[in-house]
Amino acid sequence: MNRSLTAFVALGLALGGLVACGDDKAADSGKIAGEITVLTQRTDIVNTVFQDYKKKFEAKYPGTTVKFEAITDYEGEVRVRMNTKNYGDVLLIPNSVNADQLKSFFEPLGTVDELQNKYRFVRTKNNFDGKSYGLAITGNAQGYVLNKKIWAQAGITEPPKTSEEFLAALKAIKEKTQAIPLYTNYKDGWPLGQWEGARGAISGDADAATKLGDDDAPWAAGKEHYILDSLLYDAVKGGYTEPDPTTTNWEQSKGLLGTGKIATMMLGSWAIVQMQQAATSKDDIGYWPFPHQANGKFYSVIGPDYMNAINVNSKNKATARAWVDWFADESNYAIDQGGVAPLKSAAMPSTLADLTAAKTEMIELNPAPAGKEGLADKIGNSAEVALYDGKYRQVIVDAARGAKNESKDQIFADLNKKWSQARAKLK
């Protein structure tokens, strides 16, 4: 399962006790030759798709050999291995690596100024002091995946522009079809964190993440988190979600949406291909922008998935760099997986055709100024309101379905209080 990594980015995991082993740097011949080991989280395609990548790369660079290590618990295992020098030649930068730790574990690929002309996302993630340490394997847009056939049966063929229109559409789906209008995947938790993808899309503001870190009351009326979490609350309150959220099942839900038993899920665009694979017809699966417009238009935030990087201790950095460049430039991994290509010159994938048709403007969130990197996520973690893990939104669902005796206003007031108190400690 190639779950969107936005679910992990904001967990704020620290590499506690991690000892950098990059001081004794190994010798490198500087030639593109010899063997490299590439770590990957794609256990599902390492013996199929990745073998084709291996053949193509080795054909382009005769004398090279690529070995893969596919890791199920990628974050956990690689974190442990990074206490040694043995963490492959090329690897995906774990989300638990803080920006100021990058230089201890990874080889710089160039300056952000140099690379941003060619590649997306180098400004967004895994850079420090003007240097970039990773190239994205793919990127994700944010919105929601839907079974267009079911929506059409309910009479809706264009993306709703407001929360009110979206709720009216869910009501029509409930009344005119047999499908669950909106599936929260409450039990697994992380899918509720996917709602955080609306940050920046609601306002159309590329500085949304930085402004969130400067805000003492994100759940005040009219603000992004008020709008997106109100939509979740109101959808559950209206009876438009699964009858018993405590029994949801992520793997089963893909087939249920694909076959029209579920109409909608709020997920990153990474989910499109998985839903298409589970669908009766891939044409039934669509992807629409979050139901809110700013300045008369839809916005979708695009951001990086994992990023390929070079182990600072690698004995074959030239070949490792060749692989990182080839994967970004020539593998076509991003497009094949329905993602946004790291190459700026590449067209948007066909999976995002519905966003294009809705004239959605794609934006990347601007990096925070020095000293404020990841501040909003740090505040959320300190306040026990982790923005991407879904736990606080489970509370919202519980209140909306009557399992918790709190109103929406009470929940939002409590969130604002926790947030402002945590922010005061971190300022």
Side-chain angles (χ1 to χ4, degrees):
M1 174 174 60
N2 186 22
R3 181 183 307 172
S4 171
L5 299 176
T6 54
F8 297 98
V9 168
L11 291 180
L13 297 175
L15 287 170
L18 192 58
V19 178
C21 298
D23 294 328
D24 179 21
K25 297 183 180 179
D28 190 303
S29 68
K31 297 180 181 179
I32 301 176
E35 182 177 287
I36 57 169
T37 297
V38 177
L39 308 188
T40 177
Q41 92 288 21
R42 293 305 304 269
T43 56
D44 54 336
I45 58 174
V46 69
N47 293 321
T48 52
V49 175
F50 272 58
Q51 296 306 310
D52 186 48
Y53 296 157
K54 169 184 169 71
K55 291 177 184 177
K56 291 178 179 178
F57 179 82
E58 291 175 356
K60 181 172 182 176
Y61 297 106
T64 61
T65 302
V66 180
K67 291 176 59 180
F68 299 111
E69 288 187 31
I71 302 170
T72 301
D73 179 16
Y74 187 86
E75 291 282 329
E77 184 172 329
V78 175
R79 171 180 171 174
V80 173
R81 287 178 63 170
M82 285 175 63
N83 284 292
T84 73
K85 296 180 182 180
N86 180 26
Y87 46 97
D89 296 287
V90 175
L91 68 156
L92 307 167
I93 299 176
N95 292 308
S96 48
V97 177
N98 295 326
D100 58 359
Q101 296 175 313
L102 290 166
K103 61 184 178 182
S104 298
F105 300 99
F106 305 103
E107 191 75 6
L109 302 180
T111 68
V112 173
D113 287 343
E114 291 168 346
L115 294 172
Q116 69 176 347
N117 294 322
K118 183 177 182 180
Y119 297 107
R120 296 184 174 101
F121 313 129
V122 293
R123 294 173 59 250
T124 310
K125 187 179 177 185
N126 290 326
N127 61 75
F128 188 73
D129 278 348
K131 294 180 180 178
S132 179
Y133 291 85
L135 293 183
I137 58 173
T138 185
N140 295 301
Q142 300 298 324
Y144 57 95
V145 63
L146 70 153
N147 189 304
K148 290 166 54 172
K149 183 177 180 180
I150 297 300
W151 278 66
Q153 287 176 8
I156 305 103
T157 57
E158 294 184 356
K161 297 178 180 179
T162 65
S163 295
E164 292 75 19
E165 287 184 8
F166 185 79
L167 291 167
L170 298 184
K171 184 174 187 291
I173 291 168
K174 183 176 182 178
E175 293 175 348
K176 297 179 181 179
T177 78
Q178 298 300 309
I180 296 171
L182 177 67
Y183 200 75
T184 69
N185 259 306
Y186 169 103
K187 185 174 182 291
D188 284 288
W190 64 263
L192 282 168
Q194 295 280 291
W195 286 71
E196 192 65 25
R199 185 203 303 178
I202 292 172
S203 62
D205 188 349
D207 291 316
T210 300
K211 290 179 178 178
L212 178 60
D214 292 334
D215 194 345
D216 269 333
W219 286 270
K223 294 182 180 179
E224 285 197 311
H225 279 78
Y226 180 92
I227 292 168
L228 72 94
D229 285 331
S230 288
L231 183 59
L232 173 61
Y233 181 95
D234 293 343
V236 177
K237 186 77 171 176
Y240 307 139
T241 54
E242 63 270 15
D244 183 3
T246 64
T247 61
T248 60
N249 183 292
W250 161 247
E251 291 298 337
Q252 289 181 6
S253 74
K254 291 186 283 188
L256 294 174
L257 188 139
T259 55
K261 295 179 176 63
I262 292 171
T264 322
M265 285 196 274
M266 197 71 67
L267 297 167
S269 66
W270 58 270
I272 300 171
V273 171
Q274 293 190 38
M275 299 300 172
Q276 288 177 335
Q277 290 170 345
T280 305
S281 168
K282 65 183 296 185
D283 293 336
D284 291 344
I285 305 303
Y287 196 77
W288 283 355
F290 189 87
H292 189 88
Q293 290 193 329
N295 307 314
K297 68 172 70 172
F298 288 116
Y299 289 86
S300 177
V301 173
I302 57 173
D305 205 291
Y306 270 129
M307 287 181 153
N308 272 326
I310 301 168
N311 182 348
V312 74
N313 305 290
S314 172
K315 296 180 181 180
N316 198 348
K317 292 176 184 172
T319 306
R321 178 58 188 265
W323 173 267
V324 170
D325 291 344
W326 180 87
F327 198 91
D329 296 354
E330 300 181 44
S331 72
N332 212 48
Y333 172 88
I335 301 300
D336 291 343
Q337 298 300 315
V340 179
L343 276 176
K344 284 187 171 181
S345 59
M348 286 291 167
S350 59
T351 49
L352 299 183
D354 290 324
L355 291 184
T356 303
K359 298 181 180 179
T360 308
E361 183 172 329
M362 309 287 189
I363 59 173
E364 288 185 52
L365 295 183
N366 290 328
K372 291 188 176 182
E373 297 91 346
L375 178 58
D377 298 322
K378 291 175 184 176
I379 294 170
N381 292 335
S382 177
E384 298 184 352
V385 187
L387 298 168
Y388 284 101
D389 73 358
K391 287 187 175 63
Y392 91 82
R393 290 191 174 96
Q394 287 178 324
V395 174
I396 292 173
V397 172
D398 284 340
R401 69 189 180 95
K404 188 175 178 64
N405 188 25
E406 277 189 289
S407 68
K408 181 172 70 174
D409 289 344
Q410 287 173 325
I411 290 173
F412 287 0
D414 184 56
L415 288 169
N416 281 330
K417 181 179 179 181
K418 289 179 178 178
W419 187 270
S420 62
Q421 289 176 342
R423 183 173 175 271
K425 294 176 183 178
L426 290 171
K427 280 196 293 185

